[in-house]
Amino acid sequence: MIPTLQWTPEGVSFLDQTKLPQEETYLLARNYREVADVIRNMVVRGAMAIGVSGAMGVALGIDQSTATTLPELNAEVQVICETLAKTRPTAVNLFWGIAQIRDLYTKLEAANTSIPEIKAQCVALAQTLYDEDIANLKVLGAYGAELLPKEGTVLTHCNAGALAACGYGSALGVIRAAIEAGHKIDVFADETRPFNQGMRLTAWELVKDNIPTTLICDNMAGYFMGQGRIKAAIVGADRIAANGDTANKIGTYSVAILCKEHGIPFYVAAPFNTIDLATLSGKDIPIEERAAREVTHVNGIQVTPDGVGIANPAFDVTPARYITAIITEHGVLRAPFEESIAAMAKIAAAKKRA
Amino acid sequence: MIPTLQWTPEGVSFLDQTKLPQEETYLLARNYREVADVIRNMVVRGAMAIGVSGAMGVALGIDQSTATTLPELNAEVQVICETLAKTRPTAVNLFWGIAQIRDLYTKLEAANTSIPEIKAQCVALAQTLYDEDIANLKVLGAYGAELLPKEGTVLTHCNAGALAACGYGSALGVIRAAIEAGHKIDVFADETRPFNQGMRLTAWELVKDNIPTTLICDNMAGYFMGQGRIKAAIVGADRIAANGDTANKIGTYSVAILCKEHGIPFYVAAPFNTIDLATLSGKDIPIEERAAREVTHVNGIQVTPDGVGIANPAFDVTPARYITAIITEHGVLRAPFEESIAAMAKIAAAKKRA
């Protein structure tokens, strides 16, 4: 079990993903501001992990509040939520996670609940979301496993693994579930420049689980597809629009096009809370531009010549037409996605009420 | 003028491309074996540059021979040529360059030429090939310039610039010629993992020439194409088969597919000696697999987890169907390439005889 993040009595403990694979060290965020820093600096990253991190950040902020009246606490909750929401713009799970605790708080406040009781319930919910994340991904994995080949190489991009969630992973969860079900799968992991999540994180966690893994540079995927070496590609998602357009790590769009050109199925694996019904299409998803230094420096050393411009969009949007299926914990979505997503949203809402 | 390689009285001087952009240092290859090392270790790289380097290596070996009889010299020439030919397998220009000097040697030997005269003529030819490389690329550049947009961004992959030749460059020569002709062009340079030729070399030489250049990671090209940002892509070549299939730096194939998907013209710029009529199709081009260390280490530090497999094919083959045009010093080739290449081969042979 990889301890990506964990609630502790002293705060939220994070496996420092910026130090992997060289060092396995932990960073304790002792208050909600430090949780915000940890998300912003990508000590923790991955849609599902930052979703639960956001929830834990809000719960931590509420739990540590010295407010003595509800209006006072309410004002603090607004600041806490805003601070955490401003850390990263693309993954919708972050806003989902924050909203889970904020909505509970609003309900409890409306019921004039005591502050100690509010604190206890918010902390409990954050921990429940953590447990549900792993449980959902195991169900998702079982749905997805059936889509993967019985034998052969599966390509993945970035890290949609245990390190991108509270455990198990979405895309890598599907791969784990397929292997548990007896598929003979090996993984090609795209390096995923510039932050190298594939090289540093996916390779690290798959090797740890004894899953045969080959690291390739991002620009090699097409070559191996042309050689007939790749049987399927599977990635995670940071936000899926109501029409199925999917924002994920930069380079995902290119992988999807290469899959189409080679007749290879391209799967997205993401818990249903990654689907943002309020985002109608990919055009409405904000793309985070990150610091040039992620491209220009390696291990603190500048590797680029002075004077060159740098672009560093952290995500791209893969239009739904390139996606073979979207795998969720409620089942597998297929085109037309607008309809299949709307139908699943109804099922998900009914399950939640039940 | 960037001194990629130069004949000197003491040997062949090479700008050490493994040290760029941090250091501009020169490495003197004092005999043909050191020239072979320099090619193998990619101190010099790029199809045209290693073509002329191969020729200079053979000329240097002949010039330094202590043989006193022609049979003795002949035996040495075989060893020299074999040593240089074994350095890198993909770029055909290397074999072309070696063959230029060997063929001259064979002719002179058959005519029972004196050894001092053989030495003088071989050294003179190596220097002529150097001059012709630059002259050819300037003509090629003029042909290609007309194909580039009057205004906008041109994408390139790897380095097909002055550093990949004796000067000016093929793909970057076309860009230089277009800018000299008044086009308002800026360049997006793919980083080109794992050896980072785009980051280290293309960015370096374009910035030096004040050509506006933005460095992007390989996996970002598709994103910018999707944004309508890229107007054309142009790359070099390491070997072009008789049917137009083109071997070039790993990742070129993916760029070509992305161009097709976005309706963007994809150009190959290469001197005619990059076309190998003896290679019927891309299937017959050997792809060099280079050391894992190029992927696993950055600045001497291991960045990958232990236990992960590594793939490092240095080239891929772009089928002719993805290529809008191949630009040479004899003019522009278009589909059907088998026919246009055969026709140009006749013209080139006639020019050579003239």
Side-chain angles (χ1 to χ4, degrees):
Chain A
M1 178 75 202
I2 291 163
T4 306
L5 68 153
Q6 276 185 315
W7 183 274
T8 79
E10 293 79 32
V12 189
S13 165
F14 293 93
L15 174 55
D16 187 347
Q17 300 194 28
T18 66
K19 298 284 200 309
L20 287 175
Q22 287 86 357
E23 292 173 43
E24 196 174 329
T25 54
Y26 294 83
L27 207 153
L28 182 70
R30 288 158 303 177
N31 54 56
Y32 79 87
R33 282 187 200 85
E34 291 186 359
V35 173
D37 290 342
V38 151
I39 296 171
R40 190 182 302 107
N41 301 332
M42 293 172 70
V43 168
V44 67
R45 29 61 54 201
M48 302 151 290
I50 70 175
V52 176
S53 298
M56 285 191 177
V58 181
L60 187 63
I62 291 173
D63 194 39
Q64 294 179 336
S65 169
T66 54
T68 51
T69 67
L70 281 179
E72 214 183 314
L73 181 55
N74 186 304
E76 277 186 38
V77 170
Q78 304 314 316
V79 174
I80 293 166
C81 291
E82 274 169 32
T83 303
L84 285 158
K86 272 192 292 192
T87 52
R88 299 198 65 198
T90 303
V92 76
N93 315 59
L94 174 65
F95 311 112
W96 169 90
I98 293 168
Q100 297 301 303
I101 308 294
R102 193 187 48 217
D103 291 353
L104 173 63
Y105 170 79
T106 305
K107 209 181 76 182
L108 295 173
E109 189 199 24
N112 211 18
T113 313
S114 74
I115 289 179
E117 177 64 18
I118 288 176
K119 289 182 174 184
Q121 286 203 31
C122 288
V123 169
L125 177 57
Q127 290 172 304
T128 301
L129 295 176
Y130 176 95
D131 295 336
E132 284 179 357
D133 184 57
I134 299 174
N136 287 342
L137 291 173
K138 295 219 165 162
V139 177
L140 184 160
Y143 279 118
E146 296 174 20
L147 302 179
L148 291 193
K150 287 288 171 203
E151 200 166 339
T153 302
V154 174
L155 175 72
T156 191
H157 187 74
C158 195
N159 174 268
L163 289 167
C166 299
Y168 207 65
S170 52
L172 300 192
V174 171
I175 289 170
R176 286 189 167 96
I179 290 172
E180 287 160 17
H183 297 224
K184 289 182 176 33
I185 284 174
D186 71 286
V187 178
F188 268 36
D190 274 351
E191 187 175 58
T192 318
R193 289 282 299 148
F195 210 69
N196 299 332
Q197 289 93 337
M199 170 202 276
R200 298 189 300 107
L201 310 179
T202 294
W204 181 80
E205 71 167 84
L206 292 181
V207 166
K208 216 172 161 79
D209 271 6
N210 294 314
I211 297 173
T213 304
T214 302
L215 177 69
I216 62 172
C217 298
D218 298 306
N219 62 27
M220 295 173 186
Y223 169 77
F224 286 108
M225 289 184 192
Q227 304 279 308
R229 180 71 190 268
I230 312 278
K231 298 284 178 269
I234 188 162
V235 300
D238 288 86
R239 189 184 309 201
I240 301 172
N243 71 347
D245 292 353
T246 295
N248 191 46
K249 181 53 53 194
I250 188 74
T252 302
Y253 174 53
S254 298
V255 172
I257 290 174
L258 293 172
C259 281
K260 178 198 160 198
E261 189 69 17
H262 293 91
I264 296 167
F266 175 83
Y267 299 114
V268 172
F272 197 74
N273 63 16
T274 309
I275 301 176
D276 180 16
L277 296 171
T279 298
L280 298 184
S281 87
K283 289 192 191 71
D284 305 319
I285 302 177
I287 299 296
E288 177 181 10
E289 177 82 20
R290 291 189 60 86
R293 196 180 162 91
E294 288 182 359
V295 177
T296 57
H297 286 63
V298 176
N299 295 328
I301 298 166
Q302 183 179 325
V303 288
T304 50
D306 291 327
V308 69
I310 303 289
N312 189 14
F315 301 93
D316 58 26
V317 173
T318 301
R321 65 179 180 279
Y322 295 109
I323 300 171
T324 309
I326 299 171
I327 305 157
T328 80
E329 73 276 25
H330 300 308
V332 175
L333 296 161
R334 292 190 184 264
F337 287 104
E338 211 147 25
E339 292 170 28
S340 59
I341 287 173
M344 192 176 281
K346 281 182 199 158
I347 295 168
K351 276 192 191 173
K352 207 175 169 183
R353 274 194 302 274
Chain B
M1 177 76 200
I2 292 163
T4 306
L5 67 153
Q6 276 183 315
W7 183 273
T8 78
E10 292 81 31
V12 188
S13 165
F14 292 94
L15 175 54
D16 187 347
Q17 300 193 29
T18 66
K19 298 285 202 308
L20 287 175
Q22 287 87 355
E23 291 174 43
E24 196 175 328
T25 54
Y26 294 83
L27 206 153
L28 183 69
R30 288 158 302 177
N31 54 56
Y32 79 87
R33 282 187 201 86
E34 289 186 1
V35 173
D37 289 341
V38 150
I39 296 171
R40 189 181 303 107
N41 300 333
M42 292 174 70
V43 167
V44 67
R45 27 61 56 200
M48 303 151 289
I50 69 174
V52 175
S53 298
M56 286 190 175
V58 181
L60 187 63
I62 292 173
D63 194 38
Q64 294 179 336
S65 168
T66 54
T68 51
T69 68
L70 283 179
E72 215 183 313
L73 181 55
N74 186 303
E76 277 186 38
V77 170
Q78 304 313 317
V79 174
I80 293 166
C81 291
E82 273 168 34
T83 303
L84 287 157
K86 272 192 292 193
T87 52
R88 298 197 67 198
T90 303
V92 76
N93 316 59
L94 173 65
F95 311 112
W96 169 89
I98 293 168
Q100 297 301 303
I101 307 296
R102 193 188 49 216
D103 290 353
L104 173 62
Y105 170 80
T106 305
K107 209 180 76 182
L108 295 173
E109 189 199 24
N112 211 20
T113 313
S114 75
I115 289 178
E117 177 63 18
I118 287 175
K119 289 182 173 183
Q121 285 203 32
C122 287
V123 169
L125 177 57
Q127 289 172 306
T128 300
L129 295 176
Y130 177 95
D131 295 336
E132 282 179 358
D133 184 58
I134 299 174
N136 286 342
L137 291 173
K138 294 218 166 162
V139 176
L140 184 161
Y143 278 117
E146 296 174 20
L147 302 179
L148 291 192
K150 288 288 171 204
E151 200 167 339
T153 301
V154 175
L155 174 72
T156 191
H157 187 73
C158 194
N159 174 269
L163 289 168
C166 299
Y168 207 64
S170 51
L172 300 191
V174 170
I175 288 170
R176 286 187 167 96
I179 289 171
E180 287 160 17
H183 298 223
K184 290 181 176 35
I185 284 174
D186 71 287
V187 177
F188 267 36
D190 274 350
E191 188 175 56
T192 319
R193 290 283 299 148
F195 210 69
N196 299 332
Q197 290 93 335
M199 171 202 275
R200 299 190 300 107
L201 309 179
T202 294
W204 181 79
E205 70 167 85
L206 291 181
V207 166
K208 216 172 160 83
D209 272 6
N210 294 313
I211 297 173
T213 304
T214 302
L215 177 68
I216 62 171
C217 298
D218 298 306
N219 62 26
M220 295 172 185
Y223 170 77
F224 286 109
M225 289 184 192
Q227 304 279 306
R229 180 71 191 268
I230 312 278
K231 297 285 179 267
I234 187 163
V235 299
D238 289 86
R239 189 185 309 202
I240 301 172
N243 71 346
D245 292 353
T246 295
N248 191 47
K249 181 52 52 195
I250 187 74
T252 302
Y253 174 53
S254 298
V255 172
I257 290 173
L258 293 171
C259 281
K260 179 199 160 197
E261 188 70 16
H262 293 92
I264 296 168
F266 176 83
Y267 300 115
V268 172
F272 198 73
N273 62 18
T274 310
I275 301 177
D276 180 17
L277 297 172
T279 298
L280 298 185
S281 88
K283 289 193 192 68
D284 306 319
I285 302 177
I287 299 295
E288 177 182 10
E289 177 81 22
R290 291 189 62 85
R293 197 181 161 89
E294 288 182 1
V295 176
T296 57
H297 285 64
V298 177
N299 295 327
I301 298 166
Q302 183 180 324
V303 288
T304 50
D306 291 326
V308 69
I310 303 288
N312 188 14
F315 301 93
D316 58 26
V317 173
T318 301
R321 65 179 181 278
Y322 295 109
I323 300 171
T324 309
I326 299 172
I327 306 159
T328 80
E329 74 275 26
H330 300 309
V332 175
L333 296 160
R334 290 189 186 267
F337 287 104
E338 210 147 26
E339 292 171 27
S340 60
I341 287 173
M344 190 175 282
K346 283 182 196 156
I347 294 168
K351 275 192 190 172
K352 207 176 171 186
R353 276 193 302 274

